Structures are given as C-alpha cells and as structure tokens.
Amino acid sequence: QVQLVESGGGLVQTGGSLRLSCAASRPTYGTYAMGWFRQAPGKEREFVAAMQRSGTDKYYSDSVKGRFTMSRDNAKNMVFLQMDDLQPEDTAVYYCNAHETGISIDYWGQGTQVTVSS
C-alpha cells in the first residue's frame, strides 16, 4: 500500500539537533496515522511520536516531550521528526510507521541510525 524511506540520521553531540525525514510513496494525509519508533541495541522497540490521519492531533512519549516535534508536508508526502536537545539515551535506530487505521495494518521504513555522543 505504501513504502516508507527514512533519512536524516547521523552522529551528534549531547544537546545537538537532528531532523529525521520519512518519504512515503503515496499520500498519507487523511489515509494513514503516522508515527516514529526507535530501537536501541539490545532493547525493545519503543514508541516515540505519532500523528492522527488528519494531522490534527499529535502524541509523544514522556521521554521526548518538549524536545521532539513531529510535522508533515502533505504536498511532498513527507513527515518529519525534529529532535532537539538530544541525549545519549536517544541513541537508536529510528523507524517511520504508517498505520492504516481502518484495517489495522502497519507499514515500516528501513530505519535510520541516530547516535548521540558524550
């Protein structure tokens, strides 16, 4: 139904910022709820942020509230995750998710590595 490709990961120091991008092969506005998840080495995948199909409501995990901001560019079929004040605990592979809510189907990107040093 939809293919997702993440980009924007990299190596930054504590307190730095990164903006992750997720490019979708089809429009997502009004069709899919979008989300970001992450998985650190040896740990389970955890929820980071999500956006309603309409883009009206946003949700964040307690660990990133106030530091991360999710947004979208409907014209380009893209969603973003602006990450500020990054901490070593944020180091993980970040995955983009599209959820087809009507039939409960999830689509995932390949992931992009984020590493926070010091």
Side-chain angles (χ1 to χ4, degrees):
Q1 286 291 322
V2 63
Q3 294 174 300
L4 307 171
V5 179
E6 304 96 332
S7 63
L11 174 64
V12 297
Q13 292 186 302
T14 298
S17 298
L18 284 174
R19 189 181 77 158
L20 304 184
S21 299
C22 175
S25 61
R26 306 174 188 272
T28 58
Y29 178 80
T31 304
Y32 302 97
M34 302 298 297
W36 288 95
F37 293 74
R38 67 187 183 187
Q39 186 168 23
K43 297 184 178 180
E44 298 180 8
R45 183 133 75 195
E46 66 173 339
F47 167 78
V48 175
M51 179 178 292
Q52 192 183 41
R53 285 176 293 173
S54 66
T56 301
D57 298 320
K58 301 174 185 178
Y59 310 89
Y60 301 94
S61 68
D62 290 339
S63 63
V64 306
K65 281 183 179 178
R67 299 189 298 119
F68 291 10
T69 304
M70 190 173 179
S71 62
R72 71 197 306 159
D73 185 334
N74 295 327
K76 296 183 177 181
N77 298 335
M78 299 186 72
V79 296
F80 307 94
L81 184 67
Q82 177 66 42
M83 306 186 295
D84 297 319
D85 192 25
L86 284 162
Q87 303 297 310
E89 293 74 29
D90 296 317
T91 295
V93 176
Y94 284 70
Y95 297 91
C96 181
N97 167 262
H99 181 69
E100 197 167 354
T101 57
I103 54 178
S104 299
I105 294 179
D106 286 288
Y107 301 90
W108 298 89
Q110 83 290 343
T112 185
Q113 177 71 48
V114 171
T115 303
V116 185
S117 65
S118 81

